[in-house]
Amino acid sequence: QVYRSLGLNQSEIDAYFTGPAFLAWNRMGNLRRWAGPLPPSWHLKQLYLQYRIVERMRSLGMITVLPAFAGHVPQGVLRVFPRVNATRLGGWSHFDCTYSCTYLLDPEDPMFQVIGTLFLKELIKEFGTDHIYSADTFNEMTPLSSDPAYLSRVSNAVFRSMAGADPEALWLMQGWLFQHQPDFWQPAQVRALLHGVPLGRMIVLDLFAESKPVYQWTESFYGQPFIWCMLHNFGGNHGLFGTVEAINHGPFAARRFPNSTMVGTGLVPEGIEQNDMVYEMMNELGWRQEPLDLPTWVTRYAERRYGAPNAAAAAAWRLLLRSAYNCTGVCVNHNRSPLVRRPSLHMDTELWYNASDVYEAWRLLLSASPELGSSPTFRYDLVDVTRQAAQQLVSSYYLSIRQAFQSHALPELLTAGGVLVYDLLPELDNLLSSHRLFLLGRWLESARAMATSNREAEQYELNARNQVTLWGPNGNILDYANKQLGGLVLDYYGVRWSLFVSTLVESLNSGTPFHQDQFNQAVFQVERGFIYNQKRYPAVPAGDTLEISRKLFLKYYP
């Protein structure tokens, strides 16, 4: 509405917004246009959804945060206001200027205040306000200058555009940029950006505080209030993971920090619907005076989760707690298992825990299934732990495949490759397909359900498929948002592994070396083929989870 009122036409607006699956990165100036344009019905449905969310939040006494103007503008602004001072930022991640390189308005250009204040006034008129606004100008984007005076002017301009619409405005900012580009954001630069806003009128999210806290090296954000946040998950990846010791002690250490400006705790995962226990624990810490006794807590957790005490289930959870959930040091949770990555001869199979602990937890959970099998949460956890065991098994078979190939042992290569491609991956796919929350069909159907026409449904489905696979037109951030879903394991990861194994077999048979570059070109066609295969995947589970898990166990338990 604001861009239209300023005189931009529809095609200029279409060239700016991304498709629905990538809007978060559009909002931070990283991406434009990719997987778009957004149909008019999208905006309308989002508007009604926003009304409902805001109303529900306020009825529960929650404080809403509305998005403010961060300075990124469509190129069309330059046509309407040819004298405006805007600079093109560089490409983001592995994207070139086709879909990246957003224009950033100079904070001192009068249009910055015009657009910023106009946008916020429209927003407040539409939704009312609780006086907190979010804006991220330099999230993973390098500023044009490292001059502290420039950085202060930018943050001051962003804040003034908020205050122009709401004199009580508070700016909520992600603190990710400071730990993401520490070479740029030295103490002088951080202080300048933070001090461009009056003290107390900004709240910083210390976004990845469990692994890379920023408050410690910035004297508690140089006096601006901050929230100690657990990020935990990237890309909505599946995979058992947690940093329970860091989470259990971190918030308390931050409170005790000299002149601490910490005002709360937060949860800021990129994707939810995984590792429930970690979120349960983090939510509890906000109400505690001191760290939990973790083994005692997790024993009670198992009982609460399944609705009954069970010695085997509790023992399983204590094993998971000390292994997969206890990553120490600087832990960054991108699932790098060979299962969900493009195959090569140099894959990462390292674990931060003993694989045997997960196998044993799997055995213990299965032994509890006669008693707990009717509990929906138990069935979910059984799928998740079996899935984790299968993920570990994929790594073992991968190592056998690589070893066989490198020692020119064709029979061993055929055996290990055959088991992986024709049995383990299909069995894992069966397991995932037996549970509603692990279905590719559910992911795709929920995207299609947003549509008001067949054409929109196709676009939304392509958005949903691209996000979990290629993440961009050419695999720009390949497998960043990998998921382990029934349908995806068979038709995407499975087909990829099949091509890899057959390429290695062909290489040994013909005596020609394996070329990763050639394989990458061939496998890209397979990956892209999945996005456009037009297959409808079931959104309803099939098969008995307990039976399938037991069958996998009897066949594969090491």
Side-chain angles (χ1 to χ4, degrees), residues 116-222:
T117 302
L118 195 58
F119 174 62
L120 220 49
K121 279 183 172 165
E122 283 290 314
L123 216 55
I124 292 167
K125 192 171 80 186
E126 199 79 60
F127 305 116
T129 186
D130 296 317
H131 310 296
I132 302 189
Y133 307 97
S134 66
D136 297 285
T137 305
F138 297 123
N139 188 72
E140 299 194 5
M141 305 298 276
T142 307
L144 302 166
S145 159
S146 61
D147 175 17
Y150 167 76
L151 295 169
S152 274
R153 290 202 300 271
V154 174
S155 57
N156 188 257
V158 173
F159 179 71
R160 280 203 328 270
S161 77
M162 294 176 185
D166 177 0
E168 296 174 59
L170 272 171
W171 177 5
L172 185 76
M173 187 183 83
Q174 299 184 72
W176 174 259
L177 68 173
F178 302 134
Q179 66 78 34
H180 185 258
Q181 291 176 299
D183 295 344
F184 181 91
W185 294 103
Q186 301 282 319
Q189 283 70 29
V190 177
R191 186 192 295 264
L193 191 77
L194 297 176
H195 281 185
V197 179
L199 278 188
R201 300 296 293 277
M202 174 186 258
I203 302 171
V204 187
L205 300 177
D206 202 345
L207 211 74
F208 197 15
E210 79 271 32
S211 284
K212 298 182 180 179
V214 173
Y215 77 88
Q216 293 172 353
W217 58 270
T218 56
E219 299 169 26
S220 199
F221 291 98
Y222 302 113

Side-chain angles (χ1 to χ4, degrees), residues 337-356:
S337 160
L339 168 62
V340 293
R341 295 287 171 170
R342 182 186 276 176
S344 80
L345 292 171
H346 308 281
M347 301 189 86
D348 183 6
T349 57
E350 286 296 298
L351 296 175
W352 59 94
Y353 61 91
N354 284 332
S356 57

